[in-house]
Amino acid sequence: MNALIRVSSKISNAPILLNLDCDMYSNDPSTLRDALCFFMDDRKNHDVAFLQLPQMFDNVTKNDIYGSSLLVISRVEFPGLDSFGGPMYIGSGCFHRRDVLCGRDFDPNGSKLDWTNYGRDHEHTVEQLEREAKPLADIASDHNTLWGTEMGLKYGCPVEDVITGLSIQCKGWKSMYFDPKREAFLGKAPTTWPQTLVQHKRWSEGDFQIVLSRFSPAWYASGRISIGLQMMYLCYCLWAPNCLAVLYYSIIPSLCLLKGIPLFPQISSPWVLPFAYAVAAKYLYSLAEFLCSGGTILGWWNEQRTWLYKRTCSYLFAFVDTILKTMGFGESGFVITAKVADEDVARRYDKEIMEFGVSSPMFNILATIAMLNLFSLSGVVVRCLVAKDGVGVRVVFDDMGLQLLLCGALVLINWPLYHAVFFRKDKGRMPGSVTATALVSALVVCTSFVFLY
C-alpha cells in the first residue's frame, strides 16, 4: 500500500486515493462521482480524511452460512458512527485524501483539499515515468524515513488499516460512511469454516494488539476523539478477551447441569425475571436488527453460530497468541485468507452445506465443546427418564431451567457440527481424528467433573 501511494504520486499525484482488496471489483461506476461529492463539499470537506464504504460480497449464499456479510455492522453500527466522528478504516472500499495519508496534520483553519496540484507531467514519456517510479516501489524507500510511522499505513500490526485510521482520527480528522443503494464494490467471502475462523483470528488478534500498544484507544485516544468513537474502537479491539466469558458460559453451566448444581434462580422465583428479560431483549433486538438490515431468520441463526464459533476458537487463539507475543515469545505475522475453493467445496457451499474437512486445533475445541454439551443434555434427559415419579423432573426444570435452556440452545446451534461428525460421508465431514479427540476429551471432562468434583 505504501509503495502504491509513492508510485501513484509520480504517475498522477491525484488528491484522492481508492483502496480496494485484490479480490474486489467495482459494481457501480457512479460510486467514484458520488464519493468525490463528500470531499468537494465546501462546508465539510476540510476535516474529512477518508470515506469508508461497506464491504460486500457476490458469493454470499441466501442465508449466509458463515456470517460473512456482517450485515448489522455495515447497516446499523457504522452508519451510526458518523455522529461520533466516523467509522474506522477497514482496509478496502475506502477513499482517502492523499495529503492526510502522507502525514498532513489537521488544521481547523486550513485543511481544505487542494484540487490544483496534481496531474501527470506530460513532458515525461511512459518509459521515463516507469524508470522513475520503480525505485519508489522498492522497500529501500522506507529505510530511515517516516513511512510506516508518520506517513502511509502503519507497520507492525496485522490490522494496519484499523491502527492507521485510529491514528488519523486522533489527529483531529474525521471519517464518513457511505452505503449506497447499489453495492459499490463486491469481493469474495470465505467459503469454508477454516477460512472464516482464520480470518477472524487475524482480525481479533490485530485489534487486541492495538489495545496493548501505545496507540490503544483506551489511553492514546482519550481526549483526542469523542467518547462514543473511543467506545467503538474498544468494542471491536476487545473481541479477543471476550472468548473467556463465552468459553465459561459454553462449558461450566452444562457441566453443573450434568452434576445437578443450579447456577441461576429457580424458574418459580421472581429473581428469574431479570435473566429472562436480558435474554429475550437481547435476542429479539438482535433478530430485529438483522432482519431490518436485509437478512433472513435462518441467516440470523447462522450468524449466532458464527458468533459462538469465533469466540470459542478464533478469539481464543488470538488472545493467547497476543499475550505470548507481548511477553516476547513470538512475532506478529500477517496470514492471508485463502478464498479459492475446489469444485466439490464450491458445490457444497452453494447448497449451504458447511465445510469442515481438515484437521485443525480450532475444530478440536469446537467439537469438544459441542460433545460436552451433548453429553450433559443427554445425561439430564436420561436422569429424567429413569425417575420413578414426576417430582424429580419438576425439580430439574425448576431448579435448573435456565441451564437446561442454555445447554439445549448450544446443542441445537451445533446441529451442523453433529451432522458433520456422525452422518456425513462427503469430504467436507469432520475428520475422524478430530471426532475421536473430541469424543474422548468431552467424555473425560464430563466423567471427571461428575465423579471427582
Side-chain angles (χ1 to χ4, degrees), residues 332-363:
S332 298
F334 187 91
V335 181
I336 297 176
T337 305
K339 297 182 181 178
V340 178
D342 60 35
E343 292 184 4
D344 288 340
V345 173
R347 192 178 302 112
R348 287 191 289 271
Y349 178 72
D350 291 337
K351 294 179 180 179
E352 297 197 332
I353 299 175
M354 293 185 178
E355 191 74 22
F356 295 90
V358 297
S359 296
S360 167
M362 291 187 178
F363 286 163

PDB file of all heavy atoms in Angstrom, residues 332-363:
ATOM      1  N   SER A 332       4.546 -10.928  15.425  1.00  0.00           N
ATOM      2  CA  SER A 332       3.308 -10.756  14.678  1.00  0.00           C
ATOM      3  C   SER A 332       3.516 -11.185  13.236  1.00  0.00           C
ATOM      4  O   SER A 332       4.584 -10.996  12.655  1.00  0.00           O
ATOM      5  CB  SER A 332       2.841  -9.298  14.722  1.00  0.00           C
ATOM      6  OG  SER A 332       2.568  -8.903  16.048  1.00  0.00           O
ATOM      7  N   GLY A 333       2.493 -11.775  12.670  1.00  0.00           N
ATOM      8  CA  GLY A 333       2.529 -12.171  11.268  1.00  0.00           C
ATOM      9  C   GLY A 333       1.229 -11.790  10.589  1.00  0.00           C
ATOM     10  O   GLY A 333       0.241 -11.479  11.235  1.00  0.00           O
ATOM     11  N   PHE A 334       1.243 -11.815   9.269  1.00  0.00           N
ATOM     12  CA  PHE A 334       0.039 -11.489   8.505  1.00  0.00           C
ATOM     13  C   PHE A 334      -0.353 -12.722   7.715  1.00  0.00           C
ATOM     14  O   PHE A 334       0.383 -13.164   6.838  1.00  0.00           O
ATOM     15  CB  PHE A 334       0.313 -10.315   7.557  1.00  0.00           C
ATOM     16  CG  PHE A 334      -0.922  -9.813   6.863  1.00  0.00           C
ATOM     17  CD1 PHE A 334      -1.684  -8.801   7.427  1.00  0.00           C
ATOM     18  CD2 PHE A 334      -1.334 -10.359   5.658  1.00  0.00           C
ATOM     19  CE1 PHE A 334      -2.820  -8.321   6.792  1.00  0.00           C
ATOM     20  CE2 PHE A 334      -2.471  -9.887   5.018  1.00  0.00           C
ATOM     21  CZ  PHE A 334      -3.208  -8.867   5.588  1.00  0.00           C
ATOM     22  N   VAL A 335      -1.507 -13.307   8.059  1.00  0.00           N
ATOM     23  CA  VAL A 335      -1.994 -14.510   7.396  1.00  0.00           C
ATOM     24  C   VAL A 335      -3.074 -14.109   6.405  1.00  0.00           C
ATOM     25  O   VAL A 335      -4.120 -13.587   6.783  1.00  0.00           O
ATOM     26  CB  VAL A 335      -2.561 -15.521   8.414  1.00  0.00           C
ATOM     27  CG1 VAL A 335      -3.046 -16.770   7.683  1.00  0.00           C
ATOM     28  CG2 VAL A 335      -1.505 -15.874   9.448  1.00  0.00           C
ATOM     29  N   ILE A 336      -2.817 -14.350   5.130  1.00  0.00           N
ATOM     30  CA  ILE A 336      -3.782 -14.015   4.090  1.00  0.00           C
ATOM     31  C   ILE A 336      -4.879 -15.064   4.079  1.00  0.00           C
ATOM     32  O   ILE A 336      -4.619 -16.261   4.137  1.00  0.00           O
ATOM     33  CB  ILE A 336      -3.095 -13.936   2.713  1.00  0.00           C
ATOM     34  CG1 ILE A 336      -2.061 -12.805   2.709  1.00  0.00           C
ATOM     35  CG2 ILE A 336      -4.113 -13.730   1.607  1.00  0.00           C
ATOM     36  CD1 ILE A 336      -1.273 -12.710   1.432  1.00  0.00           C
ATOM     37  N   THR A 337      -6.123 -14.616   3.994  1.00  0.00           N
ATOM     38  CA  THR A 337      -7.257 -15.540   3.962  1.00  0.00           C
ATOM     39  C   THR A 337      -7.393 -16.129   2.573  1.00  0.00           C
ATOM     40  O   THR A 337      -7.656 -15.412   1.597  1.00  0.00           O
ATOM     41  CB  THR A 337      -8.556 -14.805   4.335  1.00  0.00           C
ATOM     42  OG1 THR A 337      -8.372 -14.161   5.599  1.00  0.00           O
ATOM     43  CG2 THR A 337      -9.711 -15.783   4.426  1.00  0.00           C
ATOM     44  N   ALA A 338      -7.211 -17.457   2.472  1.00  0.00           N
ATOM     45  CA  ALA A 338      -7.375 -18.133   1.185  1.00  0.00           C
ATOM     46  C   ALA A 338      -8.851 -18.180   0.832  1.00  0.00           C
ATOM     47  O   ALA A 338      -9.685 -18.561   1.643  1.00  0.00           O
ATOM     48  CB  ALA A 338      -6.798 -19.544   1.263  1.00  0.00           C
ATOM     49  N   LYS A 339      -9.196 -17.798  -0.412  1.00  0.00           N
ATOM     50  CA  LYS A 339     -10.599 -17.771  -0.818  1.00  0.00           C
ATOM     51  C   LYS A 339     -10.832 -18.547  -2.106  1.00  0.00           C
ATOM     52  O   LYS A 339     -11.822 -18.354  -2.789  1.00  0.00           O
ATOM     53  CB  LYS A 339     -11.067 -16.319  -0.976  1.00  0.00           C
ATOM     54  CG  LYS A 339     -11.027 -15.528   0.335  1.00  0.00           C
ATOM     55  CD  LYS A 339     -11.530 -14.129   0.167  1.00  0.00           C
ATOM     56  CE  LYS A 339     -11.447 -13.350   1.481  1.00  0.00           C
ATOM     57  NZ  LYS A 339     -11.900 -11.946   1.329  1.00  0.00           N
ATOM     58  N   VAL A 340      -9.909 -19.461  -2.424  1.00  0.00           N
ATOM     59  CA  VAL A 340     -10.056 -20.306  -3.603  1.00  0.00           C
ATOM     60  C   VAL A 340     -10.497 -21.685  -3.147  1.00  0.00           C
ATOM     61  O   VAL A 340      -9.882 -22.283  -2.267  1.00  0.00           O
ATOM     62  CB  VAL A 340      -8.732 -20.405  -4.393  1.00  0.00           C
ATOM     63  CG1 VAL A 340      -8.912 -21.316  -5.584  1.00  0.00           C
ATOM     64  CG2 VAL A 340      -8.281 -19.016  -4.831  1.00  0.00           C
ATOM     65  N   ALA A 341     -11.584 -22.201  -3.720  1.00  0.00           N
ATOM     66  CA  ALA A 341     -12.126 -23.497  -3.321  1.00  0.00           C
ATOM     67  C   ALA A 341     -12.253 -24.394  -4.547  1.00  0.00           C
ATOM     68  O   ALA A 341     -12.498 -23.926  -5.663  1.00  0.00           O
ATOM     69  CB  ALA A 341     -13.486 -23.315  -2.656  1.00  0.00           C
ATOM     70  N   ASP A 342     -12.093 -25.720  -4.344  1.00  0.00           N
ATOM     71  CA  ASP A 342     -12.255 -26.642  -5.467  1.00  0.00           C
ATOM     72  C   ASP A 342     -13.742 -26.807  -5.767  1.00  0.00           C
ATOM     73  O   ASP A 342     -14.617 -26.282  -5.075  1.00  0.00           O
ATOM     74  CB  ASP A 342     -11.581 -27.984  -5.181  1.00  0.00           C
ATOM     75  CG  ASP A 342     -12.150 -28.673  -3.950  1.00  0.00           C
ATOM     76  OD1 ASP A 342     -13.368 -28.556  -3.706  1.00  0.00           O
ATOM     77  OD2 ASP A 342     -11.379 -29.332  -3.235  1.00  0.00           O
ATOM     78  N   GLU A 343     -14.031 -27.580  -6.808  1.00  0.00           N
ATOM     79  CA  GLU A 343     -15.411 -27.674  -7.282  1.00  0.00           C
ATOM     80  C   GLU A 343     -16.329 -28.312  -6.249  1.00  0.00           C
ATOM     81  O   GLU A 343     -17.482 -27.888  -6.084  1.00  0.00           O
ATOM     82  CB  GLU A 343     -15.445 -28.465  -8.590  1.00  0.00           C
ATOM     83  CG  GLU A 343     -14.791 -27.733  -9.759  1.00  0.00           C
ATOM     84  CD  GLU A 343     -14.928 -28.504 -11.061  1.00  0.00           C
ATOM     85  OE1 GLU A 343     -15.597 -29.556 -11.052  1.00  0.00           O
ATOM     86  OE2 GLU A 343     -14.382 -28.060 -12.071  1.00  0.00           O
ATOM     87  N   ASP A 344     -15.855 -29.356  -5.554  1.00  0.00           N
ATOM     88  CA  ASP A 344     -16.694 -30.012  -4.552  1.00  0.00           C
ATOM     89  C   ASP A 344     -17.045 -29.061  -3.418  1.00  0.00           C
ATOM     90  O   ASP A 344     -18.192 -29.016  -2.957  1.00  0.00           O
ATOM     91  CB  ASP A 344     -15.978 -31.251  -3.988  1.00  0.00           C
ATOM     92  CG  ASP A 344     -15.922 -32.387  -4.990  1.00  0.00           C
ATOM     93  OD1 ASP A 344     -16.733 -32.366  -5.936  1.00  0.00           O
ATOM     94  OD2 ASP A 344     -15.075 -33.290  -4.834  1.00  0.00           O
ATOM     95  N   VAL A 345     -16.055 -28.311  -2.956  1.00  0.00           N
ATOM     96  CA  VAL A 345     -16.296 -27.355  -1.886  1.00  0.00           C
ATOM     97  C   VAL A 345     -17.276 -26.279  -2.348  1.00  0.00           C
ATOM     98  O   VAL A 345     -18.221 -25.912  -1.618  1.00  0.00           O
ATOM     99  CB  VAL A 345     -14.974 -26.709  -1.417  1.00  0.00           C
ATOM    100  CG1 VAL A 345     -15.244 -25.579  -0.428  1.00  0.00           C
ATOM    101  CG2 VAL A 345     -14.064 -27.747  -0.791  1.00  0.00           C
ATOM    102  N   ALA A 346     -17.083 -25.767  -3.556  1.00  0.00           N
ATOM    103  CA  ALA A 346     -17.971 -24.736  -4.095  1.00  0.00           C
ATOM    104  C   ALA A 346     -19.392 -25.260  -4.244  1.00  0.00           C
ATOM    105  O   ALA A 346     -20.364 -24.537  -3.973  1.00  0.00           O
ATOM    106  CB  ALA A 346     -17.438 -24.242  -5.434  1.00  0.00           C
ATOM    107  N   ARG A 347     -19.527 -26.516  -4.659  1.00  0.00           N
ATOM    108  CA  ARG A 347     -20.858 -27.095  -4.833  1.00  0.00           C
ATOM    109  C   ARG A 347     -21.574 -27.217  -3.493  1.00  0.00           C
ATOM    110  O   ARG A 347     -22.763 -26.898  -3.375  1.00  0.00           O
ATOM    111  CB  ARG A 347     -20.729 -28.468  -5.501  1.00  0.00           C
ATOM    112  CG  ARG A 347     -22.045 -29.042  -6.005  1.00  0.00           C
ATOM    113  CD  ARG A 347     -21.848 -30.380  -6.698  1.00  0.00           C
ATOM    114  NE  ARG A 347     -20.917 -30.275  -7.811  1.00  0.00           N
ATOM    115  CZ  ARG A 347     -19.707 -30.837  -7.836  1.00  0.00           C
ATOM    116  NH1 ARG A 347     -19.290 -31.548  -6.802  1.00  0.00           N
ATOM    117  NH2 ARG A 347     -18.919 -30.694  -8.882  1.00  0.00           N
ATOM    118  N   ARG A 348     -20.849 -27.666  -2.477  1.00  0.00           N
ATOM    119  CA  ARG A 348     -21.465 -27.775  -1.151  1.00  0.00           C
ATOM    120  C   ARG A 348     -21.799 -26.393  -0.591  1.00  0.00           C
ATOM    121  O   ARG A 348     -22.823 -26.206   0.073  1.00  0.00           O
ATOM    122  CB  ARG A 348     -20.527 -28.531  -0.197  1.00  0.00           C
ATOM    123  CG  ARG A 348     -20.443 -30.017  -0.469  1.00  0.00           C
ATOM    124  CD  ARG A 348     -19.718 -30.749   0.649  1.00  0.00           C
ATOM    125  NE  ARG A 348     -18.288 -30.466   0.663  1.00  0.00           N
ATOM    126  CZ  ARG A 348     -17.388 -31.162  -0.009  1.00  0.00           C
ATOM    127  NH1 ARG A 348     -17.752 -32.194  -0.777  1.00  0.00           N
ATOM    128  NH2 ARG A 348     -16.096 -30.847   0.066  1.00  0.00           N
ATOM    129  N   TYR A 349     -20.941 -25.434  -0.863  1.00  0.00           N
ATOM    130  CA  TYR A 349     -21.191 -24.064  -0.383  1.00  0.00           C
ATOM    131  C   TYR A 349     -22.461 -23.498  -0.996  1.00  0.00           C
ATOM    132  O   TYR A 349     -23.278 -22.877  -0.300  1.00  0.00           O
ATOM    133  CB  TYR A 349     -19.993 -23.180  -0.710  1.00  0.00           C
ATOM    134  CG  TYR A 349     -20.165 -21.727  -0.311  1.00  0.00           C
ATOM    135  CD1 TYR A 349     -20.145 -21.340   1.023  1.00  0.00           C
ATOM    136  CD2 TYR A 349     -20.350 -20.738  -1.271  1.00  0.00           C
ATOM    137  CE1 TYR A 349     -20.298 -20.012   1.396  1.00  0.00           C
ATOM    138  CE2 TYR A 349     -20.501 -19.404  -0.923  1.00  0.00           C
ATOM    139  CZ  TYR A 349     -20.477 -19.045   0.414  1.00  0.00           C
ATOM    140  OH  TYR A 349     -20.639 -17.727   0.772  1.00  0.00           O
ATOM    141  N   ASP A 350     -22.648 -23.720  -2.292  1.00  0.00           N
ATOM    142  CA  ASP A 350     -23.859 -23.223  -2.964  1.00  0.00           C
ATOM    143  C   ASP A 350     -25.113 -23.866  -2.381  1.00  0.00           C
ATOM    144  O   ASP A 350     -26.186 -23.253  -2.375  1.00  0.00           O
ATOM    145  CB  ASP A 350     -23.780 -23.497  -4.467  1.00  0.00           C
ATOM    146  CG  ASP A 350     -22.727 -22.645  -5.161  1.00  0.00           C
ATOM    147  OD1 ASP A 350     -22.384 -21.585  -4.609  1.00  0.00           O
ATOM    148  OD2 ASP A 350     -22.251 -23.043  -6.241  1.00  0.00           O
ATOM    149  N   LYS A 351     -24.982 -25.100  -1.890  1.00  0.00           N
ATOM    150  CA  LYS A 351     -26.122 -25.799  -1.276  1.00  0.00           C
ATOM    151  C   LYS A 351     -26.236 -25.477   0.218  1.00  0.00           C
ATOM    152  O   LYS A 351     -27.086 -26.039   0.901  1.00  0.00           O
ATOM    153  CB  LYS A 351     -25.970 -27.305  -1.461  1.00  0.00           C
ATOM    154  CG  LYS A 351     -26.044 -27.769  -2.911  1.00  0.00           C
ATOM    155  CD  LYS A 351     -25.854 -29.272  -3.006  1.00  0.00           C
ATOM    156  CE  LYS A 351     -25.927 -29.761  -4.445  1.00  0.00           C
ATOM    157  NZ  LYS A 351     -25.721 -31.240  -4.536  1.00  0.00           N
ATOM    158  N   GLU A 352     -25.385 -24.587   0.709  1.00  0.00           N
ATOM    159  CA  GLU A 352     -25.352 -24.181   2.119  1.00  0.00           C
ATOM    160  C   GLU A 352     -25.068 -25.366   3.044  1.00  0.00           C
ATOM    161  O   GLU A 352     -25.666 -25.505   4.113  1.00  0.00           O
ATOM    162  CB  GLU A 352     -26.645 -23.464   2.513  1.00  0.00           C
ATOM    163  CG  GLU A 352     -26.861 -22.171   1.743  1.00  0.00           C
ATOM    164  CD  GLU A 352     -27.893 -21.257   2.377  1.00  0.00           C
ATOM    165  OE1 GLU A 352     -28.799 -21.769   3.047  1.00  0.00           O
ATOM    166  OE2 GLU A 352     -27.772 -20.015   2.197  1.00  0.00           O
ATOM    167  N   ILE A 353     -24.127 -26.212   2.597  1.00  0.00           N
ATOM    168  CA  ILE A 353     -23.636 -27.310   3.434  1.00  0.00           C
ATOM    169  C   ILE A 353     -22.287 -26.875   4.005  1.00  0.00           C
ATOM    170  O   ILE A 353     -21.357 -26.581   3.251  1.00  0.00           O
ATOM    171  CB  ILE A 353     -23.472 -28.609   2.620  1.00  0.00           C
ATOM    172  CG1 ILE A 353     -24.826 -29.034   2.034  1.00  0.00           C
ATOM    173  CG2 ILE A 353     -22.899 -29.720   3.485  1.00  0.00           C
ATOM    174  CD1 ILE A 353     -24.733 -30.238   1.107  1.00  0.00           C
ATOM    175  N   MET A 354     -22.175 -26.848   5.301  1.00  0.00           N
ATOM    176  CA  MET A 354     -20.971 -26.313   5.936  1.00  0.00           C
ATOM    177  C   MET A 354     -19.764 -27.211   5.713  1.00  0.00           C
ATOM    178  O   MET A 354     -19.870 -28.436   5.716  1.00  0.00           O
ATOM    179  CB  MET A 354     -21.220 -26.108   7.433  1.00  0.00           C
ATOM    180  CG  MET A 354     -22.226 -25.025   7.706  1.00  0.00           C
ATOM    181  SD  MET A 354     -22.429 -24.672   9.441  1.00  0.00           S
ATOM    182  CE  MET A 354     -23.624 -23.334   9.353  1.00  0.00           C
ATOM    183  N   GLU A 355     -18.615 -26.554   5.547  1.00  0.00           N
ATOM    184  CA  GLU A 355     -17.380 -27.243   5.209  1.00  0.00           C
ATOM    185  C   GLU A 355     -16.451 -27.306   6.414  1.00  0.00           C
ATOM    186  O   GLU A 355     -16.043 -26.282   6.957  1.00  0.00           O
ATOM    187  CB  GLU A 355     -16.685 -26.501   4.054  1.00  0.00           C
ATOM    188  CG  GLU A 355     -15.532 -27.256   3.441  1.00  0.00           C
ATOM    189  CD  GLU A 355     -15.985 -28.412   2.571  1.00  0.00           C
ATOM    190  OE1 GLU A 355     -17.148 -28.404   2.105  1.00  0.00           O
ATOM    191  OE2 GLU A 355     -15.167 -29.323   2.344  1.00  0.00           O
ATOM    192  N   PHE A 356     -16.133 -28.514   6.846  1.00  0.00           N
ATOM    193  CA  PHE A 356     -15.136 -28.733   7.892  1.00  0.00           C
ATOM    194  C   PHE A 356     -13.900 -29.326   7.207  1.00  0.00           C
ATOM    195  O   PHE A 356     -12.992 -28.610   6.858  1.00  0.00           O
ATOM    196  CB  PHE A 356     -15.705 -29.639   8.981  1.00  0.00           C
ATOM    197  CG  PHE A 356     -16.860 -29.031   9.723  1.00  0.00           C
ATOM    198  CD1 PHE A 356     -18.173 -29.204   9.300  1.00  0.00           C
ATOM    199  CD2 PHE A 356     -16.634 -28.241  10.831  1.00  0.00           C
ATOM    200  CE1 PHE A 356     -19.231 -28.622   9.965  1.00  0.00           C
ATOM    201  CE2 PHE A 356     -17.688 -27.645  11.519  1.00  0.00           C
ATOM    202  CZ  PHE A 356     -18.991 -27.842  11.074  1.00  0.00           C
ATOM    203  N   GLY A 357     -13.848 -30.625   7.005  1.00  0.00           N
ATOM    204  CA  GLY A 357     -12.951 -31.245   6.040  1.00  0.00           C
ATOM    205  C   GLY A 357     -11.488 -31.381   6.373  1.00  0.00           C
ATOM    206  O   GLY A 357     -10.824 -32.251   5.822  1.00  0.00           O
ATOM    207  N   VAL A 358     -10.905 -30.545   7.229  1.00  0.00           N
ATOM    208  CA  VAL A 358      -9.477 -30.612   7.528  1.00  0.00           C
ATOM    209  C   VAL A 358      -9.275 -30.667   9.033  1.00  0.00           C
ATOM    210  O   VAL A 358     -10.090 -30.162   9.801  1.00  0.00           O
ATOM    211  CB  VAL A 358      -8.715 -29.407   6.944  1.00  0.00           C
ATOM    212  CG1 VAL A 358      -8.815 -29.395   5.428  1.00  0.00           C
ATOM    213  CG2 VAL A 358      -9.225 -28.105   7.517  1.00  0.00           C
ATOM    214  N   SER A 359      -8.187 -31.296   9.434  1.00  0.00           N
ATOM    215  CA  SER A 359      -7.846 -31.341  10.861  1.00  0.00           C
ATOM    216  C   SER A 359      -7.319 -29.985  11.294  1.00  0.00           C
ATOM    217  O   SER A 359      -6.488 -29.384  10.602  1.00  0.00           O
ATOM    218  CB  SER A 359      -6.802 -32.425  11.127  1.00  0.00           C
ATOM    219  OG  SER A 359      -7.325 -33.706  10.822  1.00  0.00           O
ATOM    220  N   SER A 360      -7.793 -29.514  12.420  1.00  0.00           N
ATOM    221  CA  SER A 360      -7.395 -28.197  12.903  1.00  0.00           C
ATOM    222  C   SER A 360      -7.568 -28.138  14.409  1.00  0.00           C
ATOM    223  O   SER A 360      -8.547 -28.669  14.946  1.00  0.00           O
ATOM    224  CB  SER A 360      -8.242 -27.111  12.233  1.00  0.00           C
ATOM    225  OG  SER A 360      -8.107 -25.870  12.883  1.00  0.00           O
ATOM    226  N   PRO A 361      -6.640 -27.495  15.122  1.00  0.00           N
ATOM    227  CA  PRO A 361      -6.831 -27.305  16.560  1.00  0.00           C
ATOM    228  C   PRO A 361      -8.120 -26.557  16.875  1.00  0.00           C
ATOM    229  O   PRO A 361      -8.732 -26.776  17.918  1.00  0.00           O
ATOM    230  CB  PRO A 361      -5.593 -26.484  16.973  1.00  0.00           C
ATOM    231  CG  PRO A 361      -4.578 -26.769  15.933  1.00  0.00           C
ATOM    232  CD  PRO A 361      -5.342 -26.961  14.665  1.00  0.00           C
ATOM    233  N   MET A 362      -8.529 -25.662  15.974  1.00  0.00           N
ATOM    234  CA  MET A 362      -9.784 -24.945  16.186  1.00  0.00           C
ATOM    235  C   MET A 362     -10.963 -25.910  16.185  1.00  0.00           C
ATOM    236  O   MET A 362     -11.874 -25.800  17.014  1.00  0.00           O
ATOM    237  CB  MET A 362      -9.969 -23.872  15.108  1.00  0.00           C
ATOM    238  CG  MET A 362      -8.997 -22.704  15.208  1.00  0.00           C
ATOM    239  SD  MET A 362      -9.414 -21.397  14.031  1.00  0.00           S
ATOM    240  CE  MET A 362      -8.162 -20.167  14.435  1.00  0.00           C
ATOM    241  N   PHE A 363     -10.964 -26.863  15.267  1.00  0.00           N
ATOM    242  CA  PHE A 363     -12.046 -27.841  15.218  1.00  0.00           C
ATOM    243  C   PHE A 363     -12.023 -28.754  16.446  1.00  0.00           C
ATOM    244  O   PHE A 363     -13.080 -29.208  16.900  1.00  0.00           O
ATOM    245  CB  PHE A 363     -11.951 -28.673  13.944  1.00  0.00           C
ATOM    246  CG  PHE A 363     -12.364 -27.937  12.702  1.00  0.00           C
ATOM    247  CD1 PHE A 363     -12.024 -28.401  11.444  1.00  0.00           C
ATOM    248  CD2 PHE A 363     -13.099 -26.763  12.782  1.00  0.00           C
ATOM    249  CE1 PHE A 363     -12.406 -27.731  10.294  1.00  0.00           C
ATOM    250  CE2 PHE A 363     -13.487 -26.071  11.644  1.00  0.00           C
ATOM    251  CZ  PHE A 363     -13.135 -26.567  10.397  1.00  0.00           C
TER     252      PHE A 363
END
